[in-house]
Amino acid sequence: MLSKKMQAALNEQIKIEAESSHVYLAMASWAEIQPGIDNVTSFFYKHSDEEREHMLKLIHFVNERGGFATVPALPQPSLTFPSIKHAFAALLKHEVYVSESINKCMEIAFEEKDYATINFLQWYVAEQIEEEALARSMNDKLELIGDDKSGMYLFDKDILSISMAIEGSKA
Ligand code: FEO
């Protein structure tokens, strides 16, 4: 059975994962109307879907452990970005924020010796390591590319192979 404090923290995490899905959905919609970045667009759409999965996993866990998962209201995310580089910088910042929030949940789980929740959250800790590393490497690449259009063409090709590799590793 979840404590009230643990339940509140997990419900907050549900909100953050829902927000993440929303934020990346807005990035996807913006990217879709930019020329020549079809794979970046797919990456954002896929990332948004993944965040929804993260949210759903949490909802099921809270409800299965005798709590009540609450579906949150969401603020409207940023709809446009000055450049792709700005969108990816926002993505990295957002993932760091998600990691911090997972860490807070983990802290409460340890305080309460809630081993089931510790075990459950370990998946999120591992996932955040991957997501932050991926976001950092994309930001590094965009930094190198700068305003070079052919570089952006290669980045878009690159992101397709990265997405396929991630799918492969999760299959
Ligand atoms: Fe589910 Fe990328 O945080």
Side-chain angles (χ1 to χ4, degrees), residues 13 17 20 24 47 50-51 54-55 94-95 98-99 123-124 127-128 131:
Q13 192 63 35
E17 301 291 350
S20 305
Y24 302 148
H47 207 359
E50 274 187 24
E51 298 300 352
H54 298 174
M55 175 195 68
H94 191 82
E95 287 303 329
V98 173
S99 300
W123 182 87
Y124 286 82
E127 182 73 9
Q128 281 314 117
E131 291 197 356

Side-chain angles (χ1 to χ4, degrees), residues 23 41 44 51 56 59 80 94 98 101-102 105 120 137 139 148 151 154 170-171:
V23 164
T41 301
F44 284 136
E51 298 300 352
L56 286 173
I59 288 178
T80 59
H94 191 82
V98 173
S101 169
I102 290 287
C105 288
F120 171 76
S137 89
N139 274 274
D148 178 14
L154 291 174
K170 285 183 179 169

Side-chain angles (χ1 to χ4, degrees), residues 118-131:
I118 292 167
N119 183 53
F120 171 76
L121 287 173
Q122 254 148 11
W123 182 87
Y124 286 82
V125 173
E127 182 73 9
Q128 281 314 117
I129 292 169
E130 259 184 44
E131 291 197 356

Side-chain angles (χ1 to χ4, degrees), residues 85-150:
K85 200 173 146 182
H86 283 83
F88 275 95
L91 183 141
L92 173 59
K93 198 169 159 210
H94 191 82
E95 287 303 329
V96 170
Y97 161 68
V98 173
S99 300
E100 284 166 1
S101 169
I102 290 287
N103 289 346
K104 276 186 211 148
C105 288
M106 198 54 129
E107 262 170 48
I108 295 169
F110 270 103
E111 260 166 41
E112 301 197 344
K113 298 189 171 52
D114 180 346
Y115 299 110
T117 302
I118 292 167
N119 183 53
F120 171 76
L121 287 173
Q122 254 148 11
W123 182 87
Y124 286 82
V125 173
E127 182 73 9
Q128 281 314 117
I129 292 169
E130 259 184 44
E131 291 197 356
E132 272 192 47
L134 179 64
R136 277 204 181 85
S137 89
M138 284 174 179
N139 274 274
D140 290 348
K141 282 181 188 169
L142 286 167
E143 196 59 50
L144 284 173
I145 291 166
D147 293 329
D148 178 14
K149 286 213 163 53
S150 54

